[in-house]
Amino acid sequence: MTTYRLSTPRTRRHRLRFRERHRPGLLPLLAVWALSRAGMLWLLAHDTLGIGGVGREVHILYQHWYEQLAHGALPAGDATWQYPPGAALVLLAPGLVPGLTYFQAFVGLALVADAAVMLALARAGEHGAWYWTGGLPLLLHIPLARYDVQVTALAVGALLALRAGRLRAGGALAGLGALAKGWPALTLLGTPRGLTTRRSWTSALVTTAGGAAALALAFPHTLDFLRHQGNRGVQVESVGGTLLSLAHLAGWPGQVVYRYGAFEFTGPHVGVVVFASLVLTGAVLVWLMLWRVRSLHWSDATPADAALMAVLLCTVTSRVISPQYLVWLLGLAAVCLTFRNTTQRPVAMLLLPAAALTALAYPLLYVDVLMVTPLGCAVLLARNGLLVLAALLSCRLLWEESAPDVLRVP
């Protein structure tokens, strides 16, 4: 029989007193946030100091897409457009900010989303807010020049809404996030069976379906991004790309080429790695369903823990690991840390050096990564090794917490 660890009035009062005692002083938190974000802005403003190229994504690609979107057309014929149609709303938003260039408005909105995540986490608990505030700058200025902070804000909002018992709001936020990037749908994986799942999942489905229908009326070819995603190969920074990098050092004759908005490997047997990645992603989906079916014990931290586990697994088995993916993982880990009984605290700690190594791989040593030098391979091997370790550890910890005794990993 499935059991749920429900709160009694006494335990709720105890948790409230605990949160009040451990709530971060908002002024120190705001001060650290402001100083660290000022540093990120400085790096972005001086993006030509040999560690650059980060801002070009917004200056050139996003602004080019914005101009097409503003005329009512998705960039469906552009092979670099690989996003769900809801991404159009995020990319159109900077054009609504008066008095600023597109780049300035985009960065400003990213900072607003970043601050919203920090404040929402601060209301929920001390450790999550500080983790996000200190963890995001490990990626240098990358988060300010990608739209992943905005999407992560929706995912974090969904999990915190579920925590507060606002089930329909949590589902709606997850649905909006899925429309923009896809992965926030996984935030609902760990909702307890019954009323919580019915209300949150229904709200997410209604939001996603309604939003997709509205976008289909506003823009033609809203599903063309799937074709571009399906044609992608093995990105250099992915786990599969790391294996191919090591093979290249050993004499494999593959090459790195720019396709579909990323640097990918081409050459003999790359198709095998692509197929293996797809098979592993399918196996991950089966594993996630098995975990949900077999789990008998839910705590209040389970939805956040399960979301981090699911996104980690999908990340390490993907053909693509872009630097901004770490924004998602840091945001989900921060939510986990707002719960005293989270199983994912060791996983969250592993993600911090993984984020630092991500910034080392891009943009600092990106030439070494693309030239497949021993240094570039070593950095990717260390980063992806940490991500794989974090994913496996996440699975083990959550399984041991929620699965029946007879199924626990020894």
Side-chain angles (χ1 to χ4, degrees):
M1 178 179 178
T2 302
T3 60
Y4 303 99
R5 299 165 189 173
L6 301 176
S7 299
T8 65
R10 181 177 179 181
T11 59
R12 284 195 295 270
R13 288 194 299 270
H14 175 75
R15 288 175 183 170
L16 180 61
R17 289 195 297 270
F18 178 87
R19 290 176 191 166
E20 288 174 350
R21 289 196 305 269
H22 294 80
R23 190 180 298 278
L26 196 55
L27 286 179
L29 185 65
L30 287 172
V32 172
W33 183 89
L35 287 172
S36 59
R37 273 47 181 186
M40 294 166 70
L41 281 171
W42 186 90
L43 287 173
L44 192 60
H46 297 79
D47 201 38
T48 57
L49 295 179
I51 59 172
V54 174
R56 284 200 297 267
E57 191 97 356
V58 181
H59 275 302
I60 298 174
L61 192 59
Y62 287 4
Q63 188 160 356
H64 171 65
W65 287 342
Y66 165 77
E67 291 167 358
Q68 295 185 57
L69 293 167
H71 288 89
L74 287 174
D78 187 342
T80 59
W81 177 260
Q82 299 156 16
Y83 307 107
L89 302 179
V90 182
L91 297 175
L92 282 169
L96 303 177
V97 180
L100 298 177
T101 66
Y102 183 85
F103 181 81
Q104 291 169 339
F106 184 93
V107 173
L109 291 176
L111 284 170
V112 169
D114 175 16
V117 172
M118 181 267 295
L119 292 172
L121 289 168
R123 291 190 62 186
E126 175 180 2
H127 296 102
W130 281 104
Y131 181 91
W132 172 261
T133 300
L136 199 64
L138 293 175
L139 294 169
L140 304 181
H141 48 309
I142 295 170
L144 300 183
R146 302 292 185 270
Y147 79 90
D148 295 84
V149 172
Q150 293 90 316
V151 177
T152 301
L154 293 172
V156 169
L159 289 169
L160 294 179
L162 292 174
R163 174 192 181 124
R166 297 192 291 272
L167 307 181
R168 291 190 178 91
L173 289 170
L176 288 173
L179 272 175
K181 202 77 174 185
W183 68 266
L186 294 172
T187 57
L188 302 182
L189 173 72
T191 54
R193 302 187 193 103
L195 182 65
T196 301
T197 289
R198 287 197 301 273
R199 286 187 176 177
S200 59
W201 288 26
T202 299
S203 177
L205 287 172
V206 170
T207 301
T208 303
L215 288 165
L217 291 175
F219 301 103
H221 310 294
T222 54
L223 297 180
D224 281 14
F225 75 97
L226 294 173
R227 173 166 50 86
H228 299 149
Q229 278 282 6
N231 292 332
R232 296 197 73 167
V234 180
Q235 189 184 24
V236 176
E237 295 105 310
S238 68
V239 173
T242 300
L243 297 177
L244 291 175
S245 295
L246 294 173
H248 184 80
L249 289 180
W252 175 67
Q255 294 181 332
V256 177
V257 299
Y258 185 78
R259 301 191 315 168
Y260 300 103
F263 287 95
E264 301 179 347
F265 274 109
T266 61
H269 313 303
V270 170
V272 175
V273 179
V274 171
F275 179 75
S277 295
L278 294 174
V279 170
L280 286 172
T281 299
V284 160
L285 297 178
V286 172
W287 156 261
L288 294 176
M289 290 302 101
L290 176 65
W291 169 81
R292 182 169 175 85
V293 169
R294 291 294 190 180
S295 293
L296 297 182
H297 309 292
W298 262 266
S299 72
D300 54 352
T302 300
D305 290 356
L308 179 58
M309 175 186 71
V311 176
L312 255 174
L313 286 172
C314 290
T315 296
V316 299
T317 58
S318 173
R319 295 168 290 169
V320 178
I321 301 181
S322 296
Q324 58 268 26
Y325 287 18
L326 271 293
V327 176
W328 317 346
L329 299 174
L330 291 174
L332 295 175
V335 179
C336 292
L337 293 179
T338 64
F339 297 92
R340 287 185 301 155
N341 56 338
T342 180
T343 63
Q344 301 297 298
R345 190 164 281 106
V347 177
M349 296 304 104
L350 286 174
L351 292 177
L352 294 176
L357 286 167
T358 295
L360 190 60
Y362 177 84
L364 297 179
L365 296 177
Y366 202 46
V367 172
D368 288 275
V369 170
L370 297 183
M371 296 298 292
V372 198
T373 68
L375 177 59
C377 289
V379 171
L380 284 183
L381 183 63
R383 193 281 303 271
N384 288 339
L386 283 173
L387 289 181
V388 170
L389 177 61
L392 295 175
L393 182 61
S394 179
C395 291
R396 180 187 177 112
L397 292 173
L398 190 54
W399 183 276
E400 291 180 341
E401 169 71 13
S402 58
D405 290 343
V406 295
L407 292 175
R408 288 189 181 177
V409 179

